């Protein structure tokens, strides 16, 4: 008889409310799992800020130039600061030279959904 696995704390229904968020299954017992976050970047802004949605991704204005990875570094730092997690928990997995990026976040996805729910610009945009 196999042992039943506990249900994850972040349900697919909760994640479905956020088109930019995708669950990654836990890698082993006792692990919280991870998620990916789709972000559309507008570089060379006056300040870095989340401004809403763009084609199913978070739209972030970024106060960095897209030169020699400066924008990716700035976005990496901004994400870690916003989510209050270590930068080592966040990895760029797609979009190194593109405006559309996908980041892997090796933390409990509930943390990310709670952060998304607190963003006023996403609620106003109908997210």
């Amino acid at each position: 008889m196999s042992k039943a696995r506990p249900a994850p704390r972040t349900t697919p229904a909760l994640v479905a409310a956020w088109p930019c968020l995708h669950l990654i299954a836990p890698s082993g017992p006792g692990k919280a799992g991870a998620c990916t976050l789709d972000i559309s970047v507008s570089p060379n802004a006056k300040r870095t800020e989340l401004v809403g949605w763009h084609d199913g991704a978070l739209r972030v204005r970024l106060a960095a130039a897209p030169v020699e990875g400066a924008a990716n570094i700035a976005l990496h730092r901004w994400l870690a600061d916003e989510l209050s997690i270590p930068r080592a928990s966040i990895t760029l997995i797609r979009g190194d030279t593109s405006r559309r990026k996908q980041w892997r976040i090796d933390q409990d996805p509930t943390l990310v959904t709670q952060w998304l729910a607190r963003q006023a610009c996403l609620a106003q945009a109908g997210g």
Side-chain angles (χ1 to χ4, degrees):
M1 190 187 276
S2 66
K3 200 174 193 180
R5 294 178 69 178
R9 289 183 287 172
T10 303
T11 64
L14 180 58
V15 173
W18 305 107
C20 58
L21 188 66
H22 310 280
L23 289 179
I24 299 172
S27 60
K31 301 276 184 170
C35 60
T36 60
L37 192 60
D38 297 331
I39 299 179
S40 178
V41 178
S42 293
N44 295 319
K46 289 184 180 183
R47 65 180 182 190
T48 299
E49 63 184 338
L50 177 62
V51 294
W53 295 103
H54 178 75
D55 194 26
L58 296 179
R59 179 63 153 201
V60 176
R61 289 187 185 139
L62 197 59
V67 179
E68 297 179 10
N72 290 337
I73 292 168
L75 184 57
H76 189 218
R77 286 182 179 153
W78 179 82
L79 269 174
D81 290 345
E82 284 289 310
L83 294 169
S84 300
I85 61 175
R87 282 187 276 172
S89 298
I90 303 171
T91 308
L92 179 63
I93 57 175
R94 190 172 293 129
D96 186 46
T97 59
S98 172
R99 287 177 180 247
R100 181 78 175 230
K101 303 185 181 296
Q102 190 171 62
W103 294 85
R104 179 185 172 108
I105 302 172
D106 289 315
Q107 294 284 326
D108 185 344
T110 303
L111 176 92
V112 181
T113 59
Q114 290 170 347
W115 175 77
L116 289 167
R118 290 191 304 266
Q119 306 308 309
C121 65
L122 300 180
Q124 294 169 356

